Amino acid sequence: MSAPGLRVGTAKGEITPPPPIPYLGFVPRQALFEGVHDALHAGALVADDGERQVAVVTADAIGFSDRILGPGRSYREVLHRQVKERAGLEPESVMLAASHAHSTPETLDITSLHEVE
């Protein structure tokens, strides 16, 4: 009988939104991005020991407010539902981490993303 092994996979994708989108800033640095200097990315690492799968998902962002999708929508619930549908992972098996970059779109719900014209 062979010992169980650990399988690990990774992925990376670009998540740069098109302008205009609010820049992460506090008064008086509140404005919309006019262009993109460097692309933003998200990455994932999934580990499977044969009994359980876990994932770490990273994104170039300052952080994540649960309200960034607008009134009545939970970012956490949408993320967990989509990960469950697409990868079969339970919410407690997924960790979301932000790079805490300050030159990224506003994802802390200081300025509403869903109301940008």
Side-chain angles (χ1 to χ4, degrees):
M1 182 163 110
S2 64
L6 180 66
R7 296 183 316 157
V8 177
T10 62
K12 180 179 177 181
E14 185 176 335
I15 59 169
T16 309
I21 193 144
Y23 173 71
L24 174 64
F26 295 93
V27 175
R29 294 183 335 170
Q30 291 178 311
L32 298 177
F33 278 103
E34 296 176 7
V36 175
H37 185 274
D38 295 315
L40 302 175
H41 293 91
L45 179 142
V46 177
D48 182 342
D49 68 359
E51 293 182 30
R52 184 171 179 186
Q53 292 181 332
V54 295
V56 177
V57 179
T58 64
D60 289 332
I62 185 80
F64 300 97
S65 167
D66 198 38
R67 299 180 309 253
I68 62 174
L69 298 178
R73 296 185 70 199
S74 164
Y75 178 75
R76 183 180 62 250
E77 289 175 10
V78 170
L79 174 72
H80 286 155
R81 184 181 70 247
Q82 289 181 355
V83 169
K84 172 81 172 164
E85 289 171 0
R86 296 176 186 181
L89 294 172
E90 297 297 331
E92 62 271 9
S93 298
V94 180
M95 181 176 80
L96 177 63
S99 64
H100 199 79
H102 282 254
S103 58
T104 62
E106 207 287 89
T107 53
L108 295 178
D109 199 34
I110 298 167
T111 304
S112 293
L113 293 177
H114 61 281
E115 294 178 6
V116 175
E117 296 178 11

